[in-house]
Amino acid sequence: MIYENISLKKYNTFCLNIKADRLVTFKLEENAIRYFRNNSGSAERRLVLGGGSNLLFLGDFHGTVIHPEIEGISLEEKKEDYVIIASGAGIEWDRLVEQTVNYGFGGLENLSLIPGQVGAAPVQNLGAYGVEVKDTIEKVRAISLSDGSVREFSNEECGFGYRDSIFKKDLKGKYLITKVWFRLTTKPKLSLDYGSLKEEMNKLGVNSLSNVRKIVINTRLSKLPDPRVLGNAGSFFKNPIVDNVTAENLKRKYPRLPVFRDSYGNNKLAAGWLIEQCGWKGKRKGDAGVSDKQALVFVNYGNAKGRDILDLSEEVRKSVFEKFGIDLEREVEVVNPI
Ligand code: EPU
């Protein structure tokens, strides 16, 4: 379907009321292939938008927004230890997680309730509660926006890193992901090392995938504002990675500073803590604010413009830099009007 001059309010979780010149949606992969083949060499500005849960629009988008609506979850392979599940890029992420948990397939349960669509998962290597989606991705199929050619990327070719992949770097804006294959285990080993997961599990008594999902959902609901109720895009900044010397110096000065060792072996600081220490938690400027539940989340109380949220975030960034000497890097992608 092609829509002209359309509001993107329901296509971005900050709920910013901006418009796109054109929105093109695809329910079938072959239609997307045909569209990009027929428009090969086109100079139109394009943006692939899944759930819009990681974008901050600074104004109307003058170009074509591509929105995959490709459905379908299928069991592609079943072995004793693992299964391969394929999902269309347009499936709501949490629908996939719910189904895999219901079938008893392990790997995605810690990633419950993350907003967005399946197609966005490999782009950002989404992660939560000690798990990153890279550990389950078998391969990714994508279509070149420039000529409609189809390419499959192995896990290695995706170049995953913390909230990072080749689709955010060398291939940024070049591909539309249409389908993702996940390798999930039939003999789940639960990941309970993050925060109070283990403690919560002990309270429930039974170690199961569905209990992990339950705990993660409850934790998210208690800490993160629901974008359906209050516009936001999850963590606005990445958690900063620092060398040992910086971590030790900061820890000496601020003994309560949380420092984690991530799965890549890096020291990671909690950006939310740094922001809270600068006094920003719960602060509001007009309709742009810093969540009172989680200082790493910026919110739209109703009529904020993208620019209001960006300006507030820059003030926050400046004060964190002045107090701690740490320059926060945005996780959210800013989309300029031109
Ligand atoms: N903290 C504070 N004050 C705050 C927020 C956090 O002191 O206002 C402290 C907490 O006490 C805790 C630490 O910071 O010691 C970490 O907080 P939390 O567990 O809430 O997670 P996070 O590091 O702020 C990351 C991800 C989230 C993910 C959670 C849970 C990033 C940028 N964010 O947040 O992902 O849900 O861990 O695993 O890595 C997202 O990417 O959009 C996102 C929500």
Side-chain angles (χ1 to χ4, degrees):
M1 293 283 283
I2 300 184
Y3 306 86
E4 304 280 343
N5 197 25
I6 181 173
S7 168
L8 294 181
K9 190 164 182 189
K10 65 172 186 165
Y11 292 95
N12 76 100
T13 60
F14 267 123
C15 296
L16 298 168
N17 196 10
I18 42 100
K19 283 183 173 173
D21 289 354
R22 209 167 301 102
L23 173 76
V24 183
T25 63
F26 299 109
K27 287 207 187 308
L28 297 173
E29 194 180 71
E30 51 264 40
N31 292 347
I33 294 172
R34 198 174 317 118
Y35 178 87
F36 295 118
R37 254 189 217 152
N38 292 344
N39 289 285
S40 78
S42 156
E44 71 176 1
R45 189 174 176 222
R46 291 171 177 158
L47 173 76
V48 175
L49 185 153
S53 56
N54 208 39
L55 296 177
L56 180 67
F57 286 95
L58 294 190
D60 292 344
F61 184 80
H62 297 299
T64 299
V65 169
I66 312 287
H67 180 61
E69 292 181 346
I70 299 161
E71 293 270 332
I73 300 177
S74 55
L75 177 64
E76 302 274 299
E77 196 180 327
K78 189 167 192 322
K79 290 275 183 319
E80 200 194 328
D81 291 354
Y82 71 89
V83 289
I84 304 286
I85 302 282
S87 169
I91 296 281
E92 192 193 333
W93 172 257
D94 197 49
R95 213 178 107 203
L96 173 69
V97 177
E98 185 182 28
Q99 288 203 17
T100 59
V101 167
N102 286 347
Y103 277 104
F105 302 145
L108 304 182
E109 59 281 0
N110 291 46
L111 306 176
S112 290
L113 210 65
I114 294 180
Q117 293 184 326
V118 168
V123 178
Q124 315 195 52
N125 179 22
L126 59 83
Y129 304 103
V131 170
E132 286 184 336
V133 77
K134 72 169 172 52
D135 298 328
T136 58
I137 288 180
E138 180 75 4
K139 64 174 178 174
V140 171
R141 185 150 73 203
I143 300 172
S144 159
L145 302 192
S146 64
D147 61 8
S149 58
V150 179
R151 182 169 161 194
E152 288 191 354
F153 297 79
S154 66
N155 179 299
E156 202 171 55
E157 286 169 328
C158 290
F160 291 123
Y162 167 52
R163 292 295 191 278
D164 206 7
S165 75
I166 193 166
F167 304 108
K168 279 178 90 174
K169 284 188 175 145
D170 302 6
L171 300 185
K172 186 173 159 66
K174 293 197 162 64
Y175 279 89
L176 168 70
I177 292 175
T178 54
K179 199 166 177 176
V180 184
W181 283 258
F182 299 87
R183 179 187 283 254
L184 304 177
T185 168
T186 54
K187 297 178 176 160
K189 224 178 127 248
L190 308 185
S191 297
L192 300 173
D193 289 336
Y194 190 94
S196 59
L197 290 192
K198 210 171 278 163
E199 219 172 279
E200 296 296 322
M201 189 58 96
N202 287 341
K203 281 189 211 156
L204 292 180
V206 182
N207 278 18
S208 65
L209 292 177
S210 56
N211 275 348
V212 176
R213 177 168 165 78
K214 211 179 275 173
I215 293 166
V216 167
I217 288 177
N218 287 341
T219 310
R220 288 189 75 93
L221 290 174
S222 71
K223 280 197 173 181
L224 295 165
D226 181 348
R228 285 165 300 190
V229 180
L230 188 62
N232 76 85
S235 303
F236 195 88
F237 296 106
K238 292 184 186 182
N239 282 329
I241 288 167
V242 296
D243 57 33
N244 290 341
V245 176
T246 310
E248 279 159 25
N249 287 342
L250 281 169
K251 195 83 191 160
R252 215 168 295 127
K253 205 161 167 201
Y254 306 99
R256 294 163 66 97
L257 167 82
V259 182
F260 306 97
R261 178 74 61 164
D262 73 7
S263 60
Y264 306 89
N266 298 313
N267 299 307
K268 223 190 237 176
L269 309 181
W273 189 89
L274 300 173
I275 295 171
E276 183 174 349
Q277 296 305 306
C278 292
W280 285 103
K281 197 168 183 172
K283 284 274 159 65
R284 178 173 172 168
K285 289 208 163 178
D287 268 359
V290 177
S291 164
D292 57 358
K293 290 176 164 181
Q294 225 292 4
L296 193 46
V297 178
F298 286 66
V299 295
N300 174 9
Y301 284 104
N303 292 311
K305 302 256 180 289
R307 173 58 64 183
D308 301 331
I309 295 168
L310 183 66
D311 287 351
L312 179 64
S313 78
E314 285 301 304
E315 269 193 73
V316 168
R317 182 175 175 172
K318 190 162 169 268
S319 62
V320 168
F321 187 72
E322 281 167 1
K323 189 170 168 77
F324 297 103
I326 299 288
D327 193 12
L328 296 177
E329 187 192 333
R330 269 195 301 273
E331 181 189 321
V332 163
E333 192 190 332
V334 171
V335 184
N336 285 301
I338 320 157

